[in-house]
Amino acid sequence: MQPFDYYRPDGYKQAFGLLSDPDKTAVAIAGGTDVIPLTRDRHLQPDLVVDIKGLPGMRDLGLNSIEPCCGPGTGECLYVGAAVTMNELARSDVVQGSWPILADAAAAMGNEQIRNRATIGGNIGTASPAADSAPALYVLEACVLVKGLSGDRSIPIDRFFIGPRRHALKRGEIIAGLLVPRLPAGAIGHHEKLSRRKAGDLSIVSVAVLALPSDGHVDWRVALGAVAPTPVRAPQAEAALAKGHDAEHIDLAAAAAYGCSRPIADIRSGVEYRQAMIVNLVRRSVQSVVNRLPQA
Amino acid sequence: MLHEITLTVNGDPYVVAVRSHHTLLQVLREQLGITSPKRGCENGECGACTVIMDGLPVSSCMVLAAEADGANIETAEGLAEEGDLHPLQQAFLDHNAIQCGFCTPGMLMSSKALLDRTPHPSEDEIRHALVGNLCRCTGYVRIVDAVQDVAKES
Amino acid sequence: MATNTPSPVGKSVPRVDGYEKVTGAAKYVDDMAFGPGLLYGRLVLSPIAHGLIKSIDVSEALALPGVKAVVTGQDNPTRLGLYLKDRYIFAYDRVRYVGETVAGVVAISEEIAEHGAELVRVEYEELPTVFDPLAGAQPDAPLIHPDLGSYEVANFIFPEPGTNKSEHFRLRKGNVEAAWARCEAIVEGTYTLPQIQHAPIETHIAVARWDPSGELTVWAASQSPFAQRDLLAQSLGVPHGNVRVISPYIGGGFGGKAGISIEANVALMAKAVQGRPVKVRMTREEEFITTNVRQSLIANYKIGCDADGNLLAMEVAYYFGGGAYNDYGVNIARAAGYSCTGPYDVANVKGDSYCVYTNHPIGSAMRGFGMPEIHWGIEQIMDQLAAHIGMDPAEFRRRNCVRHNDIILTGMTMPNVNLPACIDKVADAIGWDREARPSAPGKHRGKGIAIMWKAPAMPPNPGSSSIVRFNEDASVNVYVGGQEIGQGAFTVAAQMAAEALGVPYEWVKVSANPVDTKYSPYEWQTVASRLTWSMGNAVKAAAEDAREKILETVAAYWDEDLDDLDIKNGVVVSYKSEREQPLKKMVIYGLPNENFEGWQGGPVVGSGKFMPTYVTGLDPETGQGTRAVVHYTVGAQAVDLEVDEDTGAIEILKIASAYDVGKAINPDLVLTQIEGGAVHGMSSAFEGLRFDEKGRPINGSFVDYKIATSLDAPREIHGDIVETPLEDGPWGARGVGEHVMVQTAPAIANALYNATGIRFTDLPLSAEKIFLAMHPDGVELTCELPEVL
């Protein structure tokens, strides 16, 4: 790699200062699993690399009472510090117990060695439309907590991603963590990732489905990754499922899921296959959830 | 920029001056003469550089040396104790799980980390744990056999 | 663990290199220490696929502090090559593929060398490109090597100057035109495959030091240290005795580290900084495109059989995409030509095998050397013909496969091998006659079978040699020039030496790490699956020579006949007098006469060589000759797989393999080759280098060039060993290292056909391709929800 300077700031203020230096290209590093390859390939040419994973709260993972930004306070939700690794997320008892879809999504990323370094903050911070954690975070309606020179703010996850590799952070801002709302009892989810190989590969299509049964009906949330410029919810699919989840409605939902995505051809897949996989994966994922819904 | 870091490697405490942009892999190989972690892809894909860092298997090509300040590192050189091979090393020999040997140190460290965490993994769990360790020679058959063997014995 | 294994041949003794490799002690070139004076090199690569070099400005690079030298093609405009000298060390006046080496920067650190390489300014004038070998073979195609006619070429290669064809091998046997009329069924097909890369976990690497005295030393991960010495001496104008190539353990070769690739570049870079060692290690991305790849192929087949299913005629045309330089490629096209029928007995054959220049990476030796490429189509077209006449594919192969004493396509008599036994074993292991049901709804299950053959593709006179000597405690050092690339060459060398000498396996050390052209005995190359056979014969001869010398001394000492003596378990015994003489000490010091009136014997050194003497030339018009090749190894594979209807994903459930190795010197090592080969073969069916319309690689890294992982490998791999002794093999042994992956891809394709009814003629396979073929009408999509909702 070409030379750069490495700093480990001892507080957020120093971090902001380093990251917003007008004369230097500064990049934040946590897990390094994007920064290092990109720097090695010369896509990034930083003057300095700012190690933020040791900042206060960055590695916290657990229940929290901070009022989430995307809805009225519902009691304890999950706080995930931005520097929590994908394996920590995948293996956490708390996450597996109450937000298993997020644990599954984290476990589907990369390989064991990468998951021990890659962080959730880095995963959304790179803002790839194929970000492994994104579909799960979308159906969980998480929000992103951001710290910056002008103060703290929170961004709902579906407004955090604004385009391929583009996010809503301003210069000098750092992702501090994510808040994931508590799910109502009886929520059932399914995460599925299709890639060229069984593991260790980027997505062709990824799907997250969440069913929230309440008062005799079911609210559905469906999100897709790698099929549009950003991860997306699938409102037409959700609308179809709101009317019912028998085979006919599942088929309609699967077919409709395609409608809100704009799949492209890339090195991993052509357009036609990607379109077909959206339909098939949504169908399979919804069916998997339906099979686990308590019978009326 | 130079950083003075402390690094415990296979039980030995080192104090090394490292440059900001040098990886843990580079420092182990070129400054400490620990050559079992290999350069394979330097992109986190092949696992030939796998070491155990603070109990977790990582690709050392994806860790800046400066980030490893204070860390406890285990490599294949440290597996044998007083001339006795680690059960995994013995199992790799007994099962002929080695051909060219280039992936072997990384395979051993990933396998050890797996067994430390999950003493009796299923075949599926073993294969999942080794996804990040590419082997072009063996087809993985004997490697999986060796890990299963050690898991059974323990 | 055993400490005394007499007669180790045929036993699965532990590998001699295992301990070093599990403890991390094994050193590869990148692990070798050259001290703080080591310099680092970085290659400047062409960004375009075809063009003239108008200018190279190295001034900015040279001005960068820490850069010691920059080397270009102007510094040594000599061409090199084993069979066809068509390549300059660094591009001289034009570049012919993206990734070609144009300059080399030497600096005090890798990062300065990398930065320096970015500062070398090259101006190109682009030329029209050729990417398709069929198009490249047409008379009006742009010429990639206009000077083809002036290149030095081996006398068994026939380039066509004024074209892009660097080799044309013709095979004419019998009369195909007349035979078609007698065929009950005829099928035709075109099969294609892209370039793929060896992807060894250790990339190409070399360190060179050019002493002011004129001695050049190269440390390289090399399957061919002696061939490299030869090529370096020739192309650099240095006497052979002043060139030294040293190669320690190799982290995977698969043919990619055979011949020569970057070693001459590094030598020239070292010459520019005389006295200091220079290291160049290919990055993974450079490895994919700059070094070597397997050739692409467009293959046309036409085959016909009679009503009973006997093959009558076969016509093939092979267009190998040889890449920008075809030195090795021409021999691959030739080998594909003289084996172009695959392992079948066909009386009437018309074969044309072409190597064609394309503006792509260098097509070179890769495990199988043309055989995987041609079997992709052969093994599927045979299935097609069998289906045409309603015959079971395994039965069709039993009926038509080559057998001992058949006159094969070159007119050679087929040596003794047992292919039907291999077919029987894999059919049995895969449950060929049992219908296998899919494991779940939405899955399609199928089985496929494929057979293969391959001969070592070598010039007629490739030699092996070996030396055997002793230490005071009667431990033995065996010297060989063959390389340990993971296949177990050192281990079987030790076994064979021990067996031929009469000492326990554990007494033998193989002194070949590193192979060093200054000290090691000559070995042609570690390629062609030839070491067990050829190096083995040399080791056996050397050991027998040493044994003979020992017995002569003891016979004189005891005043007995040589024929009554033997060495058993490290002790000389007389069957007549039952006297015993341990080897300890006498192998160095000899034996004293009575009353110490003089001594006899002395340090025992045995030497041996092997070189085949019977390979003949082939007629350039017909490919006929008495003995085209030394021998063939044959084998069969069967595959059981399932396809997921929803995604097109394949799950390989089981691969069963059987190979006739003549004699398994180390049975377990043969099985490990079978296992590794099955997975490598399987992986190769899903691999393919991809280029954009300008010839730039788009998947030249592990991110997008995926090789099989532990999860992709099938859970069940079954291997069987068949042993029909090879007449001139040591204990009857033949090689198997390449054969184990030759026919896996077509076996998978045949199983896919069985599962889906779809014939896939073009590699690579992928879930996407399979899904789209299974669903030609697409999948129902909608952007609007119907009113009913």
Side-chain angles (χ1 to χ4, degrees):
Chain A
M1 270 190 294
Q2 292 304 304
F4 51 77
D5 287 337
Y6 167 94
Y7 288 92
R8 196 182 301 139
D10 44 31
Y12 283 96
K13 193 142 167 253
Q14 195 195 10
F16 300 144
L18 289 165
L19 287 168
S20 50
D21 186 332
D23 300 320
K24 297 223 168 103
T25 312
V27 161
I29 191 174
T33 57
D34 280 317
V35 170
I36 290 177
L38 289 170
T39 303
R40 206 181 133 255
D41 289 348
R42 311 289 264 136
H43 284 119
L44 280 178
Q45 300 183 20
D47 296 311
L48 53 120
V49 151
V50 183
D51 189 350
I52 57 170
K53 56 181 165 290
L55 292 174
M58 278 290 195
R59 299 187 51 81
D60 288 351
L61 173 62
L63 298 177
N64 203 292
S65 298
I66 304 174
E67 189 154 310
C69 58
C70 31
T74 52
E76 288 195 316
C77 53
L78 179 70
Y79 182 84
V80 187
V84 169
T85 69
M86 299 303 257
N87 259 353
E88 281 167 351
L89 208 48
R91 289 177 181 151
S92 149
D93 288 334
V94 165
V95 180
Q96 282 187 357
S98 304
W99 294 271
I101 197 174
L102 185 55
D104 288 345
M109 184 242 187
N111 58 49
E112 182 75 6
Q113 293 92 317
I114 295 293
R115 286 193 299 274
N116 282 329
R117 299 292 294 172
T119 63
I120 186 83
N123 194 239
I124 64 169
T126 301
S128 162
D132 282 292
S133 60
L137 290 172
Y138 269 58
V139 297
L140 291 170
E141 297 184 347
C143 68
V144 184
L145 302 177
V146 174
K147 284 184 182 306
L149 274 166
S150 38
D152 296 357
R153 63 188 182 109
S154 59
I155 312 173
I157 189 75
D158 62 352
R159 293 210 232 112
F160 178 82
F161 289 81
I162 59 176
R165 301 205 160 236
R166 288 186 305 124
H167 53 57
L169 290 183
K170 296 199 273 268
R171 188 181 161 85
E173 283 188 320
I174 297 171
I175 301 168
L178 285 125
L179 270 169
V180 185
R182 162 74 71 181
L183 290 172
I188 298 175
H190 182 90
H191 176 270
E192 196 159 333
K193 171 181 174 179
L194 180 77
S195 43
R196 293 163 298 187
R197 293 289 179 272
K198 290 186 195 165
D201 194 7
L202 298 162
S203 301
I204 293 174
V205 175
S206 57
V207 174
V209 174
L210 201 57
L212 305 161
S214 77
D215 306 329
H217 74 274
V218 180
D219 289 324
W220 290 88
R221 299 183 194 164
V222 178
L224 305 168
V227 302
T230 68
V232 287
R233 287 277 289 267
Q236 289 97 323
E238 292 169 0
L241 289 169
K243 307 284 186 178
H245 49 259
D246 58 3
E248 192 198 337
H249 282 89
I250 293 177
D251 280 346
L252 273 168
Y258 156 72
C260 44
S261 57
R262 277 147 50 204
I264 56 166
D266 64 14
I267 197 166
R268 293 183 285 285
S269 169
V271 174
E272 221 186 317
Y273 183 63
R274 207 172 230 126
Q275 290 171 347
M277 289 307 102
I278 293 169
V279 174
N280 287 356
L281 254 64
V282 167
R283 185 196 307 112
R284 282 210 312 211
S285 300
V286 171
Q287 189 63 61
S288 161
V289 170
V290 164
N291 291 346
R292 284 177 286 142
L293 281 174
Q295 299 307 309
Chain B
M1 216 169 137
L2 268 184
H3 308 270
E4 185 187 278
I5 66 166
T6 62
L7 208 55
T8 306
V9 187
N10 299 324
D12 295 325
Y14 291 94
V15 179
V16 236
V18 304
R19 294 190 64 189
S20 292
H21 62 291
H22 284 182
T23 62
L24 175 61
L25 177 65
Q26 273 174 288
V27 167
L28 286 171
R29 289 178 56 80
E30 292 163 32
Q31 292 179 242
L32 302 183
I34 291 165
T35 57
S36 79
K38 307 292 182 207
R39 292 201 281 183
C41 72
E42 292 183 290
N43 218 30
E45 296 278 339
C46 76
C49 67
T50 305
V51 303
I52 296 178
M53 180 163 144
D54 294 331
L56 298 175
V58 298
S59 292
S60 56
C61 70
M62 301 283 267
V63 179
L64 296 176
E67 291 179 282
D69 185 17
N72 186 23
I73 309 288
E74 297 167 69
T75 72
E77 287 92 338
L79 284 175
E81 267 182 65
E82 277 159 44
D84 288 332
L85 292 178
H86 185 281
L88 273 171
Q89 288 172 306
Q90 189 62 54
F92 269 54
L93 287 177
D94 295 340
H95 285 271
N96 260 335
I98 307 144
Q99 289 187 29
C100 84
F102 205 73
C103 78
T104 303
M107 284 287 181
L108 285 167
M109 301 325 287
S110 283
S111 303
K112 177 180 185 285
L114 170 67
L115 293 179
D116 287 346
R117 184 171 57 82
T118 313
H120 304 287
S122 65
E123 181 176 349
D124 225 42
E125 283 173 313
I126 295 171
R127 288 182 182 268
H128 262 100
L130 298 180
V131 160
N133 290 86
L134 297 178
C135 174
R136 201 52 156 164
C137 296
T138 67
Y140 307 98
V141 178
R142 305 300 180 96
I143 294 170
V144 173
D145 286 348
V147 178
Q148 283 180 312
D149 202 9
V150 175
K152 219 168 11 126
E153 294 294 314
S154 67
Chain C
M1 207 171 96
T3 50
N4 187 314
T5 313
S7 305
V9 165
K11 299 196 177 125
S12 297
V13 291
R15 294 179 71 112
V16 298
D17 53 340
Y19 194 88
E20 265 183 294
K21 288 174 176 175
V22 288
T23 53
K27 295 259 181 267
Y28 304 78
V29 175
D30 203 23
D31 305 324
M32 300 174 80
F34 293 89
L38 179 65
L39 296 173
Y40 300 84
R42 189 70 185 242
L43 299 170
V44 178
L45 307 178
S46 169
I48 63 165
H50 196 196
L52 299 172
I53 298 174
K54 303 302 285 179
S55 67
I56 305 182
D57 181 357
V58 305
S59 56
E60 246 183 283
L62 277 173
L64 182 68
V67 169
K68 308 294 286 176
V70 182
V71 174
T72 69
Q74 300 295 323
D75 295 312
N76 191 308
T78 339
R79 284 193 294 262
L80 43 63
L82 283 165
Y83 304 107
L84 173 66
K85 292 194 195 301
D86 65 355
R87 180 164 76 94
Y88 289 104
I89 297 171
F90 285 97
Y92 177 60
D93 57 342
R94 64 165 73 188
V95 293
R96 296 177 168 90
Y97 70 103
V98 174
E100 177 162 4
T101 55
V102 176
V105 176
V106 183
I108 60 172
S109 73
E110 278 186 353
E111 58 218 35
I112 295 177
E114 183 190 28
H115 189 185
E118 288 169 5
L119 297 176
V120 174
R121 310 269 174 237
V122 188
E123 221 186 290
Y124 300 97
E125 181 187 305
E126 292 198 41
L127 292 171
T129 51
V130 174
F131 296 128
D132 177 314
L134 211 48
Q138 302 314 307
D140 54 347
L143 284 186
I144 300 178
H145 285 265
D147 297 332
L148 180 57
S150 68
Y151 295 166
E152 235 181 279
V153 60
N155 67 5
F156 49 83
I157 300 293
F158 304 98
E160 293 177 15
T163 75
N164 287 315
K165 293 184 212 149
S166 54
E167 160 70 347
H168 179 193
F169 185 92
R170 290 176 184 75
L171 199 298
R172 304 284 183 269
K173 184 184 180 220
N175 186 343
V176 287
E177 296 311 322
W180 298 127
R182 295 184 276 122
C183 290
E184 172 71 19
I186 296 174
V187 290
E188 292 184 64
T190 299
Y191 286 80
T192 73
L193 40 92
Q195 291 187 318
I196 64 173
Q197 216 268 336
H198 314 65
I201 309 303
E202 177 204 38
T203 61
H204 279 70
I205 182 169
V207 179
R209 190 185 67 219
W210 196 301
D211 293 329
S213 64
E215 300 233 342
L216 168 66
T217 309
V218 176
W219 294 260
S222 169
Q223 293 173 239
S224 314
F226 289 91
Q228 286 186 350
R229 179 180 70 175
D230 188 26
L231 288 169
L232 288 169
Q234 284 181 46
S235 61
L236 301 174
V238 180
H240 283 72
N242 284 2
V243 179
R244 181 178 175 191
V245 180
I246 301 171
S247 186
Y249 288 125
I250 293 177
F254 312 106
K257 293 173 183 162
I260 194 164
S261 72
I262 58 162
E263 294 78 12
N265 302 69
V266 187
L268 278 182
M269 291 158 82
K271 189 176 183 189
V273 290
Q274 290 221 354
R276 292 184 70 173
V278 178
K279 173 151 109 173
V280 175
R281 178 189 160 269
M282 301 308 272
T283 66
R284 179 57 59 181
E285 293 76 14
E286 290 169 342
E287 174 72 28
F288 269 110
I289 59 161
T290 294
T291 56
N292 295 309
V293 302
R294 193 178 80 180
Q295 304 188 113
S296 65
L297 176 65
I298 298 175
N300 298 322
Y301 299 90
K302 181 177 177 183
I303 59 175
C305 65
D306 65 18
D308 295 324
N310 298 306
L311 273 173
L312 293 183
M314 191 163 176
E315 185 173 338
V316 305
Y318 297 144
Y319 292 86
F320 282 94
Y325 299 97
N326 292 358
D327 175 36
Y328 243 120
V330 293
N331 199 20
I332 294 164
R334 176 169 192 270
Y338 62 61
S339 292
C340 71
T341 55
Y344 292 95
D345 183 28
V346 198
N348 304 287
V349 183
K350 180 174 184 233
D352 289 281
S353 181
Y354 300 94
C355 191
V356 184
Y357 285 116
T358 57
N359 293 115
H360 272 153
I362 299 174
S364 188
M366 181 170 158
R367 201 174 185 182
F369 210 76
M371 293 304 104
E373 295 93 301
I374 67 173
H375 281 72
W376 165 245
I378 292 172
E379 282 310 279
Q380 289 200 69
I381 201 99
M382 291 298 169
D383 256 30
Q384 286 184 270
L385 188 57
H388 226 75
I389 54 150
M391 199 179 225
D392 172 86
E395 199 42 51
F396 185 86
R397 286 172 173 82
R398 279 191 197 92
R399 177 175 282 265
N400 288 292
C401 69
V402 282
R403 285 172 169 75
H404 188 203
N405 289 329
D406 283 345
I407 306 299
I408 61 174
L409 71 170
T410 53
M412 176 177 149
T413 304
M414 186 67 192
N416 195 3
V417 291
N418 195 344
L419 195 34
C422 297
I423 296 171
D424 290 341
K425 285 208 182 289
V426 302
D428 184 54
I430 210 78
W432 185 254
D433 296 321
R434 289 193 306 275
E435 172 99 21
R437 288 212 301 249
S439 64
K443 306 267 192 200
H444 300 261
R445 188 147 174 191
K447 295 183 190 176
I449 197 167
I451 58 176
M452 64 75 63
W453 73 349
K454 179 184 185 287
M458 313 178 293
N461 59 345
S464 301
S465 57
S466 176
I467 294 168
V468 165
R469 65 160 188 80
F470 286 86
N471 302 306
E472 290 86 335
D473 59 354
S475 62
V476 182
N477 287 75
V478 176
Y479 294 81
V480 293
Q483 259 290 37
E484 177 60 68
I485 60 175
Q487 82 286 52
F490 288 177
T491 302
V492 297
Q495 287 178 256
M496 291 191 272
E499 182 89 24
L501 270 172
V503 304
Y505 171 65
E506 292 76 8
W507 289 21
V508 180
K509 276 186 155 25
V510 178
S511 301
N513 180 30
V515 169
D516 184 334
T517 59
K518 187 168 176 179
Y519 297 108
S520 304
Y522 179 87
E523 183 61 57
W524 179 65
Q525 294 194 63
T526 299
V527 296
S529 310
R530 61 183 286 279
L531 288 195
T532 299
W533 160 69
S534 182
M535 183 185 79
N537 276 330
V539 167
K540 183 163 182 268
E544 284 168 350
D545 185 40
R547 177 180 176 280
E548 177 105 343
K549 287 166 174 166
I550 292 167
L551 293 185
E552 274 169 8
T553 300
V554 178
Y557 183 62
W558 285 343
D559 193 24
E560 290 200 36
D561 282 327
L562 209 57
D563 295 329
D564 294 325
L565 304 190
D566 199 359
I567 305 180
K568 299 223 82 79
N569 223 10
V571 180
V572 182
V573 298
S574 165
Y575 292 125
K576 186 147 172 252
S577 65
E578 295 187 4
R579 272 189 284 193
E580 290 189 354
Q581 171 61 51
L583 290 181
K584 241 155 85 128
K585 293 199 214 166
M586 71 138 293
V587 283
I588 301 286
Y589 303 120
L591 294 165
N593 292 334
E594 210 169 315
N595 295 324
F596 290 86
E597 296 279 331
W599 287 73
Q600 47 193 310
V604 176
V605 180
S607 70
K609 66 147 173 67
F610 177 78
M611 192 179 85
T613 53
Y614 40 78
V615 173
T616 65
L618 298 174
D619 184 297
E621 296 305 317
T622 61
Q624 301 299 299
T626 314
R627 183 86 178 251
V629 297
V630 291
H631 55 255
Y632 279 90
T633 297
V634 297
Q637 265 182 345
V639 169
D640 182 0
L641 58 75
E642 253 184 4
V643 181
D644 184 313
E645 199 171 73
D646 272 348
T647 60
I650 294 183
E651 179 85 43
I652 310 277
L653 301 170
K654 181 170 179 176
I655 300 181
S657 306
Y659 289 88
D660 188 344
V661 302
K663 169 76 181 176
I665 304 292
N666 188 318
D668 205 43
L669 290 189
V670 176
L671 289 177
T672 57
Q673 282 300 293
I674 284 177
E675 290 157 13
V679 175
H680 193 180
M682 179 201 86
S683 187
S684 74
F686 295 87
E687 294 174 26
L689 277 168
R690 293 167 62 181
F691 303 89
D692 66 14
E693 74 290 348
K694 288 183 162 280
R696 292 176 298 214
I698 55 179
N699 68 339
S701 84
F702 280 140
V703 175
D704 288 310
Y705 188 103
K706 298 310 237 187
I707 70 173
T709 67
S710 51
L711 261 183
D712 301 309
R715 304 283 168 113
E716 273 194 84
I717 302 177
H718 178 94
D720 276 310
I721 296 172
V722 172
E723 291 177 306
T724 313
L726 171 65
E727 293 87 349
D728 70 349
W731 293 275
R734 264 189 294 274
V736 75
E738 298 169 273
H739 309 72
V740 287
M741 73 165 285
V742 165
Q743 78 273 49
T744 322
I748 290 172
N750 288 339
L752 261 181
Y753 180 82
N754 187 236
T756 65
I758 302 170
R759 177 73 48 200
F760 291 91
T761 57
D762 308 303
L763 283 175
L765 299 173
S766 66
E768 175 175 359
K769 210 177 239 184
I770 293 164
F771 177 87
L772 292 175
M774 288 173 76
H775 301 89
D777 299 328
V779 168
E780 176 137 1
L781 308 165
T782 178
C783 301
E784 302 290 333
L785 290 179
E787 287 299 318
V788 69
L789 283 192

